[in-house]
Amino acid sequence: MRMKPTGDLTLIKKMNTSIVLDAVIKNAPLSRARISELTGLNKATVSSLVQDLIDNQLVVEIGPGESSGGRKPLMLLFHEAAGYAIGIDLGVNYIRGMLVDLRGGVIAEHRQQVKRKFKELPLELLIASIEMLMDKAPRSRYGVVGIGIGVPGIVDDGGVILFAPNMKLSQVDLKAKLEKRFSLPVTIDNEANAGAQGEQKYGAGRGIANQIYVSVGIGIGTGIILNKELYKGASGFSGELGHLSIQYDGKPCACGNQGCWELYASENALLEQAASLGFESLEELLQAAECGDEQVISLFDSIGDYLGAGIANIVNVFNPEAVIIGNRMSRAAEWLKPAIEEAVGKRTLSFHRDRLRILFAELQEESAVRGAAYYAIDSFFTKIKS
Ligand SMILES: [Zn+2]
């Protein structure tokens, strides 16, 4: 089959540009000669593509580096300040926002908390948060390139929030609303997927190919990373493992099932049981555990045991290299970890445990907001490369 030569050449050039840009992002500072070695592209091609990237302000030249004999080469850097992205973690009672550069480095943050859960989508607060962060973006070639949002619910591949049981939301086309308001590309995903992405790019999951991120907050959600890519399933609904049945005749769940994992192992489950001991928040419980309160320590232990039981199921299915526990309950790592490890040890096959690590989120409660911002960066690069 004959292809139109111009179209073909443009496509090849775009693919090569993307290869060169990736080489700079991952290996900078580096020389043109080194890019040529790394990519297998010839030096003339690399030079011309690098010039395009410099013209578009995505790559900058800095002073000469070390010479391996002969003239010292000019080194290249990725220009992360060529644009900015906004990440938002929309929680059931808070909005956490960040402005980041194109490398994901945090430039500004903004957080709002309400006493009770939001009764409906807090659209005005959300818009105000985004505006506040946009105002903090330094002047740059591309400005704010996009907005990524993590939400606590099921989001379809078109960015429609189908169901958010902890927030009483359904069928909200948030993506369309915000794109219209800001005239910027908006990416919306489930909070656990965003958290998985955040840990994979910037946190405990860096360099780990197969990992399951377990977001333990008011509910439980999971983000599945296989071969360094987020696994989203046929329609974007993968990872609803908070609704794994772990108690055959268990308590009824808002999802329609009964005995779901999150009813026994989430922050909600913890607080329900803590109420009889006179505690109202995770913060109070952490403080009590710190002071050696036996009842509280044993409560964390029992929640950890349930967490471990669910994690064991996940491990038996996916054989991951790491399970990363994130969101609010990662703050209780010290108190949960022994029970989780014991339960996983008891309930999984030794083959599965061989290379398994149980980790806690390095970005703590910021995994989802950083991951959400990454979505915006990623879609910007996908667009300029295509
Ligand atoms: Zn359920």
Side-chain angles (χ1 to χ4, degrees):
M1 190 180 76
R2 290 183 94 186
M3 293 177 110
K4 271 197 279 177
T6 49
D8 213 17
L9 284 174
T10 318
L11 179 67
I12 290 171
K13 186 175 175 203
K14 279 175 178 166
M15 283 166 58
N16 287 343
T17 305
S18 152
I19 291 168
V20 169
L21 184 57
D22 282 341
V24 177
I25 291 174
K26 289 191 185 118
N27 304 289
L30 80 177
S31 65
R32 290 169 176 79
R34 181 76 186 127
I35 296 177
S36 172
E37 278 168 34
L38 287 170
T39 60
L41 296 168
N42 72 48
K43 285 185 184 166
T45 305
V46 168
S47 277
S48 128
L49 295 173
V50 163
Q51 195 51 51
D52 282 354
L53 290 168
I54 291 176
D55 292 345
N56 286 309
Q57 294 184 27
L58 288 169
V59 165
V60 286
E61 230 166 25
I62 51 167
E66 288 302 307
S67 162
S68 52
R71 196 158 59 97
K72 287 183 178 170
L74 286 171
M75 303 302 273
L76 302 167
L77 284 182
F78 171 55
H79 185 213
E80 66 259 18
Y84 296 89
I86 287 174
I88 300 279
D89 170 12
L90 174 58
V92 295
N93 64 350
Y94 66 88
I95 296 174
R96 187 193 299 270
M98 275 185 182
L99 176 76
V100 302
D101 63 28
L102 292 181
R103 199 190 280 284
V106 180
I107 304 294
E109 304 177 36
H110 178 67
R111 195 169 189 281
Q112 301 185 75
Q113 176 112 32
V114 292
K115 260 224 149 90
R116 306 253 166 244
K117 289 182 190 177
F118 293 124
K119 286 206 181 67
E120 53 190 33
L121 179 77
L123 190 61
E124 289 313 311
L125 281 181
L126 187 59
I127 287 173
S129 266
I130 294 171
E131 282 173 341
M132 220 170 294
L133 290 164
M134 286 179 95
D135 283 346
K136 293 192 174 153
R139 283 176 66 92
S140 63
R141 166 81 160 81
Y142 297 96
V144 173
V145 299
I147 302 164
I149 303 181
V151 299
I154 297 181
V155 181
D156 75 6
D157 35 13
V160 178
I161 303 171
L162 297 181
F163 183 58
N166 283 313
M167 215 172 178
K168 300 201 165 55
L169 283 185
S170 64
Q171 296 292 341
V172 179
D173 194 354
L174 185 58
K175 178 179 159 76
K177 281 193 168 80
L178 293 177
E179 284 187 338
K180 192 167 163 216
R181 175 72 180 71
F182 291 103
S183 305
L184 281 175
V186 175
T187 310
I188 298 183
D189 202 349
N190 171 277
E191 163 275 325
N193 282 347
Q197 197 66 268
E199 287 297 319
Q200 161 80 13
K201 290 291 162 193
Y202 312 115
R206 275 169 305 184
I208 302 176
N210 300 296
Q211 57 183 283
I212 313 293
Y213 172 80
V214 183
S215 165
V216 191
I218 299 232
I220 294 181
T222 53
I224 301 164
I225 303 252
L226 303 176
N227 291 322
K228 298 199 174 175
E229 298 282 336
L230 191 63
Y231 173 77
K232 299 197 54 166
S235 314
F237 307 153
S238 69
E240 285 300 322
L241 298 181
H243 300 283
L244 216 78
S245 302
I246 65 160
Q247 202 78 288
Y248 186 79
D249 284 323
K251 305 183 229 183
C253 180
C255 76
N257 187 9
Q258 60 185 116
C260 295
W261 187 26
E262 70 174 28
L263 302 177
Y264 301 88
S266 60
E267 184 182 352
N268 249 6
L270 174 78
L271 294 180
E272 254 173 48
Q273 295 175 59
S276 63
L277 303 176
F279 293 97
E280 283 186 350
S281 69
L282 178 61
E283 288 72 12
E284 287 174 17
L285 287 163
L286 287 171
Q287 221 168 33
E290 206 64 59
C291 298
D293 186 317
E294 294 284 334
Q295 281 180 307
V296 170
I297 291 171
S298 112
L299 179 55
F300 275 123
D301 211 52
S302 119
I303 296 283
D305 188 35
Y306 274 110
L307 266 174
I311 290 171
N313 285 330
I314 295 174
V315 167
N316 283 333
V317 174
F318 291 101
N319 178 212
E321 290 151 274
V323 171
I324 302 174
I325 297 155
N327 204 344
R328 297 258 305 157
M329 291 283 272
S330 66
R331 297 170 64 178
E334 187 186 344
W335 313 105
L336 296 171
K337 200 171 187 204
I340 293 175
E341 284 182 337
E342 197 188 325
V344 172
K346 263 193 325 217
R347 295 173 189 267
T348 51
L349 296 165
S350 62
F351 314 111
H352 285 83
R353 286 197 303 277
D354 245 9
R355 291 169 57 191
L356 172 70
R357 282 183 285 165
I358 308 269
L359 304 173
F360 285 82
E362 245 174 51
L363 307 174
Q364 295 178 340
E365 287 170 55
E366 293 178 356
S367 319
V369 67
R370 299 280 301 275
Y374 173 76
Y375 283 125
I377 296 171
D378 189 48
S379 74
F380 168 68
F381 281 125
T382 307
K383 211 169 55 197
I384 53 171
K385 287 172 189 171
S386 60

